[in-house]
Amino acid sequence: ALKCFLLLEGAAMVNIQTTSFLAVLSMTALAVAMALQGLLKDLAAGIMLLVFRPYTVGDLVQAAQQYGRVTEIGMFETIFLSLDNKTIIVPNSQITIVTNLTTEDIIRVDVALKISHSASLRQAKEVLLRVAQECPMVLPDRAPQVLVSDTSELGRDLIIRAYVRSADYIPAPFWLREEALLALDDANVSLASMPLFYPYLKKEDQCPV
């Protein structure tokens, strides 16, 4: 920097115009500063992650709209391995809200299903509760529940609520959903479906005026 200053001073002393050179130098410095700003933000965020450690390598987390296991925590970026085996690189400055699914040994899963209004609510709840109780991944000391979460013109929303080990957080909902659908089919409990509309009736099907 001192050499550049002396060079500019010497050029000015011999009447060489340095205005254009100074403008280019200023724009270059501004561009470099803006580029470094993002890196400094990532660096600061990386230091905070390493100090407070909201997650460690191997944890299953949801952060920066990504979901996967942490494989590396760097000074500028964090690397995730998604559930479909994709490597995701996220700048540390984009990681603001972190949901860590590994820190707790026990975690709750919710599986939603919608049954028809014509189906028996009591029967559906009994079938789904039996499925949850027979699931080998559901913890027996935390009794599962089947709750009515909502109702609409299409049907009634039920939720199977069960507690599993954090290691079973991924496979348990798939198991419960599949077994619940099979059990409802065996019990002849119909699921909700969209009503069929026929906006264009045949002429012979139309009501006479």
Side-chain angles (χ1 to χ4, degrees):
L2 180 59
K3 291 182 179 179
C4 291
F5 178 75
L6 294 176
L7 182 62
L8 292 176
E9 286 293 327
M13 292 177 61
V14 296
N15 295 325
I16 297 177
Q17 296 295 328
T18 59
T19 305
S20 300
F21 180 75
L22 286 174
V24 173
L25 185 62
S26 299
M27 294 300 296
T28 302
L30 179 62
V32 172
M34 293 182 65
L36 290 176
Q37 182 180 8
L39 291 176
L40 291 176
K41 288 176 60 178
D42 293 336
L43 178 61
I47 294 174
M48 298 294 287
L49 290 174
L50 293 173
V51 170
F52 293 102
R53 302 176 68 84
Y55 51 79
T56 59
V57 173
D59 285 356
L60 180 64
V61 302
Q62 183 176 359
Q65 299 181 348
Q66 303 297 332
Y67 184 69
R69 291 198 179 275
V70 180
T71 59
E72 182 179 340
I73 304 174
M75 296 299 294
F76 297 96
E77 60 200 15
T78 298
I79 301 178
F80 298 94
L81 184 65
S82 66
L83 299 182
D84 52 356
N85 207 37
K86 295 178 181 177
T87 299
I88 304 173
I89 302 174
V90 180
N92 288 332
S93 60
Q94 295 184 12
I95 300 176
T96 54
I97 299 177
V98 178
T99 302
N100 195 323
L101 303 170
T102 307
T103 53
E104 300 297 329
D105 295 331
I106 299 175
I107 193 168
R108 195 187 77 195
V109 295
D110 293 344
V111 177
L113 295 167
K114 184 187 288 287
I115 64 171
S116 171
H117 281 293
S118 62
S120 170
L121 176 61
R122 188 182 304 275
Q123 183 186 10
K125 292 187 64 174
E126 291 175 354
V127 170
L128 297 179
L129 184 59
R130 185 168 61 252
V131 168
Q133 291 171 342
E134 294 175 354
C135 177
M137 288 175 282
V138 173
L139 299 177
D141 56 339
R142 296 283 190 98
Q145 295 176 295
V146 178
L147 306 174
V148 179
S149 62
D150 198 6
T151 183
S152 66
E153 64 275 5
L154 298 180
R156 287 166 287 192
D157 296 314
L158 301 181
I159 289 182
I160 303 174
R161 179 168 290 177
Y163 287 87
V164 300
R165 295 181 178 86
S166 58
D168 297 327
Y169 179 75
I170 301 300
F174 289 102
W175 194 99
L176 288 169
R177 187 175 294 106
E178 180 177 351
E179 293 298 321
L181 292 175
L182 293 174
L184 291 175
D185 286 342
D186 293 339
N188 294 321
V189 177
S190 58
L191 298 175
S193 60
M194 291 291 293
L196 299 177
F197 296 98
Y198 300 96
Y200 302 105
L201 296 177
K202 295 181 180 179
K203 186 175 181 179
E204 57 270 17
D205 295 335
Q206 294 179 0
C207 298
V209 180

